[in-house]
Amino acid sequence: MATLAAGLSAAFLVSPAEARPLGHPGELALPAGFQPEGIAIGAWPTAYFGSRVDGRIQQVDLRTGKGRLLSPGPGTPSLGIKVDSAHGRLFVAGGTGGDARVIDARDGTVLASYRFADTDTFVNDLVLTRDAVWFTDSRKPVLYRLPLGRHGELPGQDAVRTLPLTGDLVVVPGATNVNGIVTTPDGEGLLIGQSNTGQLFRADPTTGVTEAVDLGGEALPSNDGQLREGRRLYVVQNRLNLLAKLELSADGRTAEVLERRTSPGFDVPATVAAWRNRFYLVNARFTTPPEPTTTYNAVAVPKF
């Protein structure tokens, strides 16, 4: 990890110990063998994690570090996960299952399930907008749109739409392509990362036309989960053990990489969520052979 970071122009070392001004733990333990991928935090101090082994959802209190099983899995992965705080529910991307689930954030009840694809699929990440939930598929040049009712009502299966992606994005067969997704600051577009090329793209949610985001000559290799706060975009570069900070234009067509940070607590982090003055990154440990006894965690670092 140190060798990789040294070759990048602005990689600053931060420690989980620096991120404890509230007395909350700087590390959140997950069950042995869990193999996490996604993390989500809503409007309350609770983190939710999905297992890429069997899809179970683990809930962890940020104040105490204590966790519990919220929802058993369907036997297929749970990858990207987001909290819909207004309605107390979780949206979960189903990876190779080609599907998504909606789960009650209080008791773990599965409220709805949706099928997107049956073959050569990897439903990876998602973003909530005012009227829809958008999902990426790392195997296909598409986005899946799950429309929401005026008051957040969940649709039936027949309302699901697949939006083909055209334009600058070129999907490479067999690779991890489209991964993380957020909205642009002006709310008019979607920003998606392509892990295998290190590029970001702006996608038009109406037409599916993609444009490469001008990064000023920079690249984001191994980009994974994304988090946007205003015009600041944070991108996890998983196998490089880095969290990159970018400044976006309002329409998301240009971005400047401001800095990158690493931490001794990072062990191939997959994505990032935020609570107050801290970022929480979940360690997927992709380079560690998974065993039933393999340990997993998430770590907190100060916002920057």
Side-chain angles (χ1 to χ4, degrees):
M1 180 269 291
T3 301
L4 291 170
L8 294 160
S9 58
F12 298 96
L13 187 69
V14 295
S15 167
E18 298 176 47
R20 302 180 189 175
L22 300 176
H24 296 177
E27 177 182 338
L28 305 176
L30 295 170
F34 188 77
Q35 293 188 48
E37 207 279 348
I39 178 174
I41 301 171
W44 50 89
T46 301
Y48 300 90
F49 302 87
S51 168
R52 61 184 190 272
V53 177
D54 54 21
R56 69 192 128 139
I57 305 297
Q58 184 80 356
Q59 174 182 306
V60 180
D61 190 318
L62 298 179
R63 299 163 297 185
T64 65
K66 293 182 178 179
R68 72 178 182 98
L69 177 67
L70 176 68
S71 180
T76 51
S78 290
L79 300 184
I81 182 171
K82 292 293 186 293
V83 181
D84 177 7
S85 297
H87 301 96
R89 59 196 182 189
L90 311 175
F91 288 84
V92 183
T96 53
D99 59 358
R101 305 192 314 284
V102 187
I103 297 171
D104 190 302
R106 295 158 294 191
D107 61 18
T109 300
V110 177
L111 304 175
S113 297
Y114 299 94
R115 169 67 51 189
F116 298 140
D118 294 314
T119 59
D120 191 27
T121 181
F122 197 79
V123 182
N124 201 332
D125 206 355
L126 64 146
V127 65
L128 278 66
T129 68
R130 183 181 63 258
D131 58 359
V133 187
W134 293 89
F135 295 82
T136 62
D137 192 321
S138 294
R139 299 293 188 190
K140 302 175 185 290
V142 301
L143 296 176
Y144 304 114
R145 183 179 188 270
L146 184 68
L148 300 175
R150 182 177 178 183
H151 301 291
E153 296 91 347
L154 298 173
Q157 174 67 42
D158 59 356
V160 172
R161 294 290 180 267
T162 298
L163 179 69
L165 295 175
T166 61
D168 291 342
L169 174 71
V170 177
V171 166
V172 179
T176 301
N177 290 273
V178 177
N179 197 332
I181 181 171
V182 296
T183 56
T184 56
D186 64 9
E188 298 297 320
L190 300 168
L191 290 176
I192 55 178
Q194 188 176 23
S195 297
N196 57 318
T197 65
Q199 292 181 280
L200 294 181
F201 295 88
R202 182 189 186 278
D204 186 310
T206 301
T207 66
V209 174
T210 63
E211 306 170 51
V213 176
D214 182 357
L215 298 178
E218 287 269 11
L220 296 163
S222 299
N223 65 70
D224 201 330
Q226 302 181 31
L227 172 68
R228 184 179 63 78
E229 295 188 335
R231 290 200 180 186
R232 294 289 168 86
L233 177 66
Y234 295 88
V235 179
V236 177
Q237 295 180 254
N238 55 30
R239 293 177 186 267
L240 300 184
N241 287 312
L242 293 172
L243 179 62
K245 178 172 73 171
L246 293 79
E247 181 79 15
L248 295 166
S249 63
D251 60 10
R253 288 183 166 88
T254 63
E256 179 186 0
V257 179
L258 300 178
E259 61 178 301
R260 293 177 172 91
R261 295 196 182 185
T262 188
S263 166
F266 291 173
D267 192 350
V268 194
T271 193
V272 57
W275 174 255
R276 295 187 176 175
N277 64 341
R278 296 193 279 187
F279 292 126
Y280 289 84
L281 292 91
V282 58
N283 284 318
R285 306 195 72 189
F286 292 139
T287 57
T288 300
E291 302 288 345
T293 56
T294 303
T295 58
Y296 293 96
N297 68 0
V299 294
V301 297
K303 282 190 172 182
F304 63 98

